[in-house]
Short mmCIF file of all heavy atoms in Angstrom, two decimals:
data_model
loop_
_atom_site.label_atom_id
_atom_site.label_comp_id
_atom_site.label_asym_id
_atom_site.label_seq_id
_atom_site.Cartn_x
_atom_site.Cartn_y
_atom_site.Cartn_z
N LEU W 908 19.85 -37.77 -50.35
CA LEU W 908 19.32 -39.05 -50.90
C LEU W 908 18.24 -38.78 -51.93
O LEU W 908 18.27 -39.33 -53.03
CB LEU W 908 18.75 -39.88 -49.76
CG LEU W 908 18.14 -41.25 -50.13
CD1 LEU W 908 19.23 -42.20 -50.48
CD2 LEU W 908 17.31 -41.76 -49.01
N ALA W 909 17.35 -37.87 -51.63
CA ALA W 909 16.28 -37.46 -52.56
C ALA W 909 16.87 -36.83 -53.81
O ALA W 909 16.36 -37.04 -54.92
CB ALA W 909 15.26 -36.58 -51.86
N VAL W 910 17.89 -36.01 -53.63
CA VAL W 910 18.48 -35.42 -54.80
C VAL W 910 19.13 -36.44 -55.66
O VAL W 910 19.13 -36.35 -56.88
CB VAL W 910 19.54 -34.29 -54.35
CG1 VAL W 910 20.41 -33.79 -55.55
CG2 VAL W 910 18.82 -33.14 -53.73
N GLY W 911 19.73 -37.48 -55.09
CA GLY W 911 20.29 -38.60 -55.84
C GLY W 911 19.22 -39.31 -56.73
O GLY W 911 19.49 -39.63 -57.85
N VAL W 912 17.99 -39.46 -56.15
CA VAL W 912 16.90 -40.03 -56.93
C VAL W 912 16.64 -39.09 -58.11
O VAL W 912 16.45 -39.52 -59.26
CB VAL W 912 15.66 -40.18 -56.04
CG1 VAL W 912 14.42 -40.56 -56.88
CG2 VAL W 912 15.86 -41.25 -54.96
N THR W 913 16.63 -37.81 -57.87
CA THR W 913 16.39 -36.83 -58.91
C THR W 913 17.44 -36.92 -59.98
O THR W 913 17.15 -36.90 -61.18
CB THR W 913 16.34 -35.40 -58.32
OG1 THR W 913 15.36 -35.34 -57.32
CG2 THR W 913 16.10 -34.35 -59.38
N PHE W 914 18.71 -37.06 -59.59
CA PHE W 914 19.79 -37.22 -60.58
C PHE W 914 19.56 -38.42 -61.52
O PHE W 914 19.89 -38.32 -62.69
CB PHE W 914 21.14 -37.36 -59.87
CG PHE W 914 21.75 -36.13 -59.26
CD1 PHE W 914 22.72 -36.27 -58.25
CD2 PHE W 914 21.33 -34.89 -59.65
CE1 PHE W 914 23.28 -35.09 -57.72
CE2 PHE W 914 21.94 -33.74 -59.14
CZ PHE W 914 22.88 -33.88 -58.13
N ALA W 915 19.01 -39.46 -60.99
CA ALA W 915 18.76 -40.65 -61.81
C ALA W 915 17.66 -40.35 -62.88
O ALA W 915 17.64 -41.02 -63.91
CB ALA W 915 18.34 -41.84 -60.98
N LEU W 916 16.87 -39.44 -62.64
CA LEU W 916 15.74 -39.08 -63.51
C LEU W 916 16.04 -37.99 -64.53
O LEU W 916 15.32 -37.79 -65.46
CB LEU W 916 14.50 -38.68 -62.69
CG LEU W 916 14.02 -39.61 -61.59
CD1 LEU W 916 12.89 -39.00 -60.80
CD2 LEU W 916 13.62 -40.93 -62.24
N LEU W 917 17.18 -37.37 -64.35
CA LEU W 917 17.59 -36.32 -65.25
C LEU W 917 18.66 -36.77 -66.20
O LEU W 917 19.51 -37.55 -65.91
CB LEU W 917 18.14 -35.13 -64.47
CG LEU W 917 17.24 -34.45 -63.46
CD1 LEU W 917 17.96 -33.40 -62.65
CD2 LEU W 917 16.08 -33.79 -64.22
N PRO W 918 18.50 -36.31 -67.51
CA PRO W 918 19.52 -36.69 -68.51
C PRO W 918 20.85 -35.98 -68.27
O PRO W 918 20.89 -34.83 -67.84
CB PRO W 918 18.87 -36.29 -69.80
CG PRO W 918 17.94 -35.14 -69.46
CD PRO W 918 17.46 -35.45 -68.03
N GLY W 919 21.95 -36.66 -68.56
CA GLY W 919 23.24 -36.06 -68.64
C GLY W 919 23.89 -35.76 -67.27
O GLY W 919 24.70 -34.87 -67.16
N VAL W 920 23.47 -36.47 -66.19
CA VAL W 920 24.12 -36.22 -64.92
C VAL W 920 25.21 -37.23 -64.73
O VAL W 920 25.06 -38.48 -64.81
CB VAL W 920 23.07 -36.41 -63.74
CG1 VAL W 920 23.76 -36.30 -62.43
CG2 VAL W 920 21.97 -35.37 -63.86
N ASN W 921 26.40 -36.71 -64.56
CA ASN W 921 27.54 -37.61 -64.22
C ASN W 921 27.55 -37.76 -62.69
O ASN W 921 27.99 -36.86 -61.98
CB ASN W 921 28.86 -36.92 -64.70
CG ASN W 921 30.06 -37.80 -64.37
OD1 ASN W 921 30.10 -38.59 -63.45
ND2 ASN W 921 31.13 -37.56 -65.13
N ILE W 922 27.08 -38.90 -62.22
CA ILE W 922 26.86 -39.08 -60.79
C ILE W 922 28.19 -39.01 -60.03
O ILE W 922 28.22 -38.47 -58.88
CB ILE W 922 26.09 -40.42 -60.48
CG1 ILE W 922 25.73 -40.51 -58.97
CG2 ILE W 922 26.88 -41.60 -60.87
CD1 ILE W 922 24.80 -39.40 -58.53
N PHE W 923 29.28 -39.46 -60.58
CA PHE W 923 30.52 -39.46 -59.86
C PHE W 923 31.08 -38.01 -59.71
O PHE W 923 31.59 -37.65 -58.68
CB PHE W 923 31.54 -40.42 -60.51
CG PHE W 923 31.01 -41.83 -60.44
CD1 PHE W 923 30.58 -42.50 -61.55
CD2 PHE W 923 30.92 -42.47 -59.23
CE1 PHE W 923 30.10 -43.77 -61.46
CE2 PHE W 923 30.48 -43.78 -59.10
CZ PHE W 923 30.07 -44.42 -60.25
N ALA W 924 30.95 -37.21 -60.74
CA ALA W 924 31.30 -35.83 -60.67
C ALA W 924 30.40 -35.12 -59.63
O ALA W 924 30.86 -34.26 -58.84
CB ALA W 924 31.21 -35.14 -62.02
N ALA W 925 29.09 -35.43 -59.68
CA ALA W 925 28.15 -34.81 -58.76
C ALA W 925 28.47 -35.12 -57.30
O ALA W 925 28.54 -34.20 -56.48
CB ALA W 925 26.75 -35.23 -59.13
N ILE W 926 28.67 -36.45 -56.98
CA ILE W 926 28.93 -36.78 -55.61
C ILE W 926 30.33 -36.28 -55.13
O ILE W 926 30.48 -35.88 -53.99
CB ILE W 926 28.80 -38.28 -55.30
CG1 ILE W 926 29.78 -39.13 -56.06
CG2 ILE W 926 27.32 -38.70 -55.61
CD1 ILE W 926 29.78 -40.61 -55.70
N GLY W 927 31.30 -36.24 -56.08
CA GLY W 927 32.59 -35.70 -55.70
C GLY W 927 32.47 -34.20 -55.32
O GLY W 927 33.04 -33.73 -54.38
N LEU W 928 31.72 -33.48 -56.18
CA LEU W 928 31.54 -32.05 -55.95
C LEU W 928 30.76 -31.79 -54.63
O LEU W 928 31.09 -30.93 -53.79
CB LEU W 928 30.85 -31.39 -57.10
CG LEU W 928 30.80 -29.89 -57.14
CD1 LEU W 928 32.18 -29.25 -57.13
CD2 LEU W 928 30.02 -29.38 -58.37
N ILE W 929 29.68 -32.55 -54.44
CA ILE W 929 28.85 -32.36 -53.26
C ILE W 929 29.65 -32.71 -52.02
O ILE W 929 29.64 -31.94 -51.01
CB ILE W 929 27.59 -33.28 -53.33
CG1 ILE W 929 26.62 -32.76 -54.39
CG2 ILE W 929 26.90 -33.37 -52.00
CD1 ILE W 929 25.53 -33.71 -54.74
N GLY W 930 30.39 -33.78 -52.05
CA GLY W 930 31.26 -34.19 -50.89
C GLY W 930 32.30 -33.18 -50.55
O GLY W 930 32.49 -32.77 -49.41
N ALA W 931 32.98 -32.67 -51.64
CA ALA W 931 34.10 -31.72 -51.42
C ALA W 931 33.57 -30.37 -50.87
O ALA W 931 34.19 -29.84 -49.94
CB ALA W 931 34.85 -31.50 -52.74
N ILE W 932 32.49 -29.90 -51.49
CA ILE W 932 31.97 -28.60 -51.02
C ILE W 932 31.48 -28.71 -49.59
O ILE W 932 31.68 -27.82 -48.74
CB ILE W 932 30.79 -28.14 -51.97
CG1 ILE W 932 31.34 -27.94 -53.36
CG2 ILE W 932 30.03 -26.94 -51.40
CD1 ILE W 932 31.32 -26.52 -53.92
N THR W 933 30.76 -29.82 -49.33
CA THR W 933 30.27 -29.98 -47.94
C THR W 933 31.43 -30.11 -46.93
O THR W 933 31.36 -29.56 -45.85
CB THR W 933 29.35 -31.20 -47.85
OG1 THR W 933 28.27 -31.05 -48.81
CG2 THR W 933 28.72 -31.38 -46.46
N PHE W 934 32.48 -30.81 -47.35
CA PHE W 934 33.61 -30.95 -46.47
C PHE W 934 34.19 -29.58 -46.13
O PHE W 934 34.39 -29.25 -44.97
CB PHE W 934 34.72 -31.81 -47.14
CG PHE W 934 35.97 -32.01 -46.39
CD1 PHE W 934 36.13 -33.17 -45.57
CD2 PHE W 934 36.97 -31.05 -46.28
CE1 PHE W 934 37.27 -33.36 -44.82
CE2 PHE W 934 38.10 -31.23 -45.56
CZ PHE W 934 38.22 -32.37 -44.81
N LEU W 935 34.42 -28.76 -47.15
CA LEU W 935 35.03 -27.47 -46.91
C LEU W 935 34.10 -26.56 -46.12
O LEU W 935 34.57 -25.85 -45.21
CB LEU W 935 35.32 -26.79 -48.27
CG LEU W 935 36.43 -27.43 -49.14
CD1 LEU W 935 36.49 -26.86 -50.52
CD2 LEU W 935 37.76 -27.31 -48.38
N LEU W 936 32.81 -26.54 -46.43
CA LEU W 936 31.90 -25.66 -45.75
C LEU W 936 31.63 -26.10 -44.29
O LEU W 936 31.48 -25.29 -43.38
CB LEU W 936 30.55 -25.51 -46.47
CG LEU W 936 30.62 -24.68 -47.73
CD1 LEU W 936 29.26 -24.60 -48.46
CD2 LEU W 936 31.11 -23.25 -47.42
N SER W 937 31.70 -27.44 -44.03
CA SER W 937 31.54 -27.93 -42.67
C SER W 937 32.76 -27.49 -41.85
O SER W 937 32.57 -27.08 -40.66
CB SER W 937 31.38 -29.41 -42.72
OG SER W 937 30.26 -29.82 -43.39
N ALA W 938 33.94 -27.66 -42.36
CA ALA W 938 35.16 -27.23 -41.63
C ALA W 938 35.10 -25.77 -41.37
O ALA W 938 35.39 -25.24 -40.31
CB ALA W 938 36.42 -27.62 -42.42
N LEU W 939 34.70 -24.99 -42.38
CA LEU W 939 34.59 -23.53 -42.24
C LEU W 939 33.49 -23.17 -41.23
O LEU W 939 33.65 -22.26 -40.46
CB LEU W 939 34.25 -22.89 -43.64
CG LEU W 939 34.12 -21.37 -43.69
CD1 LEU W 939 35.44 -20.73 -43.29
CD2 LEU W 939 33.66 -20.93 -45.03
N GLY W 940 32.40 -23.91 -41.23
CA GLY W 940 31.31 -23.69 -40.25
C GLY W 940 31.77 -23.85 -38.79
O GLY W 940 31.33 -23.10 -37.95
N ILE W 941 32.62 -24.82 -38.57
CA ILE W 941 33.19 -25.02 -37.21
C ILE W 941 33.90 -23.74 -36.80
O ILE W 941 33.72 -23.21 -35.71
CB ILE W 941 34.12 -26.23 -37.16
CG1 ILE W 941 33.37 -27.50 -37.45
CG2 ILE W 941 34.81 -26.28 -35.83
CD1 ILE W 941 32.37 -27.95 -36.43
N LYS W 942 34.77 -23.23 -37.71
CA LYS W 942 35.54 -22.01 -37.42
C LYS W 942 34.63 -20.81 -37.18
O LYS W 942 34.78 -20.07 -36.25
CB LYS W 942 36.53 -21.75 -38.54
CG LYS W 942 37.46 -20.55 -38.30
CD LYS W 942 38.37 -20.75 -37.16
CE LYS W 942 39.30 -19.64 -37.02
NZ LYS W 942 40.10 -19.71 -35.84
N ILE W 943 33.71 -20.63 -38.14
CA ILE W 943 32.77 -19.47 -38.06
C ILE W 943 31.97 -19.53 -36.73
O ILE W 943 31.82 -18.52 -36.07
CB ILE W 943 31.85 -19.44 -39.25
CG1 ILE W 943 32.68 -19.00 -40.51
CG2 ILE W 943 30.67 -18.45 -39.01
CD1 ILE W 943 31.91 -19.09 -41.76
N GLY W 944 31.44 -20.70 -36.44
CA GLY W 944 30.65 -20.82 -35.18
C GLY W 944 31.51 -20.56 -33.96
O GLY W 944 30.97 -19.89 -33.08
N ASN W 945 32.73 -20.97 -33.97
CA ASN W 945 33.56 -20.72 -32.81
C ASN W 945 33.94 -19.29 -32.66
O ASN W 945 34.05 -18.76 -31.61
CB ASN W 945 34.78 -21.62 -32.92
CG ASN W 945 35.59 -21.71 -31.67
OD1 ASN W 945 36.68 -21.11 -31.53
ND2 ASN W 945 35.01 -22.41 -30.67
N VAL W 946 34.06 -18.56 -33.80
CA VAL W 946 34.46 -17.18 -33.80
C VAL W 946 33.27 -16.25 -33.67
O VAL W 946 33.24 -15.34 -32.81
CB VAL W 946 35.32 -16.79 -35.03
CG1 VAL W 946 35.58 -15.30 -35.12
CG2 VAL W 946 36.55 -17.59 -35.04
N PHE W 947 32.23 -16.43 -34.50
CA PHE W 947 31.13 -15.53 -34.59
C PHE W 947 29.83 -15.94 -33.93
O PHE W 947 28.90 -15.13 -33.76
CB PHE W 947 30.77 -15.23 -36.06
CG PHE W 947 31.91 -14.56 -36.75
CD1 PHE W 947 32.69 -15.28 -37.70
CD2 PHE W 947 32.32 -13.28 -36.51
CE1 PHE W 947 33.74 -14.70 -38.41
CE2 PHE W 947 33.35 -12.70 -37.20
CZ PHE W 947 34.06 -13.38 -38.11
N GLY W 948 29.68 -17.22 -33.56
CA GLY W 948 28.41 -17.62 -33.00
C GLY W 948 27.37 -18.06 -34.07
O GLY W 948 27.72 -18.28 -35.17
N ALA W 949 26.14 -18.09 -33.64
CA ALA W 949 25.04 -18.68 -34.43
C ALA W 949 24.38 -17.61 -35.39
O ALA W 949 23.40 -17.89 -35.93
CB ALA W 949 23.98 -19.24 -33.52
N LYS W 950 25.03 -16.51 -35.60
CA LYS W 950 24.52 -15.40 -36.41
C LYS W 950 24.13 -15.83 -37.78
O LYS W 950 23.14 -15.35 -38.37
CB LYS W 950 25.49 -14.25 -36.43
CG LYS W 950 25.03 -13.08 -37.18
CD LYS W 950 26.09 -11.98 -37.12
CE LYS W 950 25.68 -10.77 -37.89
NZ LYS W 950 26.71 -9.75 -37.92
#
């Protein structure tokens, strides 16, 4: 949320590209995190 406020203050930020990228990366890393946690633990 705070980063979104920052985006509004910076020139040249395409908010839709930004939120799409943030959502997609978080989706992938969250799914990967479930697998890593289940296999390797909290390391």
Side-chain angles (χ1 to χ4, degrees):
L908 180 73
V910 169
V912 171
T913 303
F914 284 160
L916 304 175
L917 298 174
V920 175
N921 179 337
I922 189 61
F923 297 108
I926 64 173
L928 190 60
I929 290 167
I932 297 244
T933 304
F934 181 96
L935 291 172
L936 287 178
S937 297
L939 181 64
I941 297 292
K942 181 67 174 172
I943 289 172
N945 195 251
V946 173
F947 297 108
K950 181 179 178 182

